[in-house]
Amino acid sequence: MTATSDLATRRVEPSPPEVYEPIFGVDAPEHQKVLAWSANASKAVIDFMAAIYTNNSLDPRLVELIRIRVAFHNQCRSCMATRNQEVGVDEDLVCSLEKPEEAPNLTEAERAALNYADLFATDHFKITDETFERLARSFTKEQIIDLGALIAGTMGSGRMMATWDIVEGLPDRFQENRGAKNVTPWGEGDVMVQGADMGGKFEKRAALRN
């Protein structure tokens, strides 16, 4: 165990460039630098995340909405701070995630999926036949399975990262009150944006609204 003050706030020290760069590249964010300590775990996470986030039957906008909403339940600050700007989810839409059932800019399909995600993340024993009947009115069986895998994968990876308590490099509002359990992805302030034109990198930008 280290006693140095530099690592006093780090539960797991990030790996050095020679470890993380061959796996995640030179612009790896902090959580990937930590994950890179295990090459096997890194490969498994990369493959699984590609399957549940990209190679699925769900609308990319819904995938991003689910990811952000579950990040709130997980209180994963790095997850809440990041945005995929390519899928049409601006900050007005993110703010609608505070009360999804009341949001007029969400579709019924999105509200049904977010309700499933909320129950999945908070008390899965409250998921009923009616929950799945509601999903079936908007989604195919393949999509329902992909949705469950997306929620499960997001919960697991997000909670793992939340336990690492990595906030370095995030916008100020996601670094403040470390240890508090009421941080939200909606609200005022900068976010970390990623897009196809950015070579996989995240950049700190002002939250985009309509």
Side-chain angles (χ1 to χ4, degrees), residues 158-180:
R159 292 190 179 191
M160 176 177 68
M161 288 190 287
T163 67
W164 294 343
D165 193 28
I166 297 171
V167 298
E168 289 79 7
L170 299 181
D172 291 344
R173 68 187 178 105
F174 295 101
Q175 295 194 44
E176 296 168 350
N177 300 317
R178 201 163 183 168

Side-chain angles (χ1 to χ4, degrees), residues 71-194:
F72 165 68
H73 290 302
N74 285 340
Q75 285 294 290
C76 173
R77 295 187 179 215
S78 58
C79 308
M80 287 190 282
T82 55
R83 304 286 187 271
N84 180 352
Q85 67 173 1
E86 302 297 319
V87 298
V89 176
D90 61 20
E91 289 307 298
D92 289 327
L93 202 54
V94 171
C95 287
S96 73
L97 294 176
E98 183 176 7
K99 297 180 179 179
E101 292 290 352
E102 301 175 16
N105 52 351
L106 295 175
T107 67
E108 166 54 24
E110 289 167 342
R111 286 192 290 269
L114 288 161
N115 174 66
Y116 179 44
D118 284 346
L119 294 172
F120 200 128
T122 59
D123 189 352
H124 62 288
F125 291 110
K126 289 184 178 178
I127 295 173
T128 64
D129 292 346
E130 287 73 22
T131 308
F132 276 88
E133 288 169 3
R134 184 182 181 188
L135 290 173
R137 289 194 288 270
S138 298
F139 298 100
T140 66
K141 293 181 176 64
E142 178 186 11
Q143 289 174 321
I144 291 172
I145 298 304
D146 281 345
L147 178 62
L150 169 65
I151 298 167
T154 303
M155 277 188 61
S157 61
R159 292 190 179 191
M160 176 177 68
M161 288 190 287
T163 67
W164 294 343
D165 193 28
I166 297 171
V167 298
E168 289 79 7
L170 299 181
D172 291 344
R173 68 187 178 105
F174 295 101
Q175 295 194 44
E176 296 168 350
N177 300 317
R178 201 163 183 168
K181 298 178 182 179
N182 58 353
V183 180
T184 69
W186 45 84
E188 299 297 327
D190 293 342
V191 294
M192 302 297 291
V193 178
Q194 183 183 45

Side-chain angles (χ1 to χ4, degrees), residues 11-29:
R11 294 177 176 176
V12 185
E13 180 183 1
S15 61
E18 61 268 22
V19 174
Y20 70 77
E21 286 184 4
I23 303 173
F24 294 111
V26 296
D27 297 308

Side-chain angles (χ1 to χ4, degrees), residues 49-76:
M49 291 300 147
I52 65 172
Y53 284 120
T54 307
N55 304 324
N56 61 51
S57 59
L58 301 171
D59 185 281
R61 167 173 142 146
L62 176 61
V63 172
E64 181 73 348
L65 291 171
I66 293 291
R67 184 193 68 77
I68 296 172
R69 180 66 180 175
V70 173
F72 165 68
H73 290 302
N74 285 340
Q75 285 294 290
C76 173

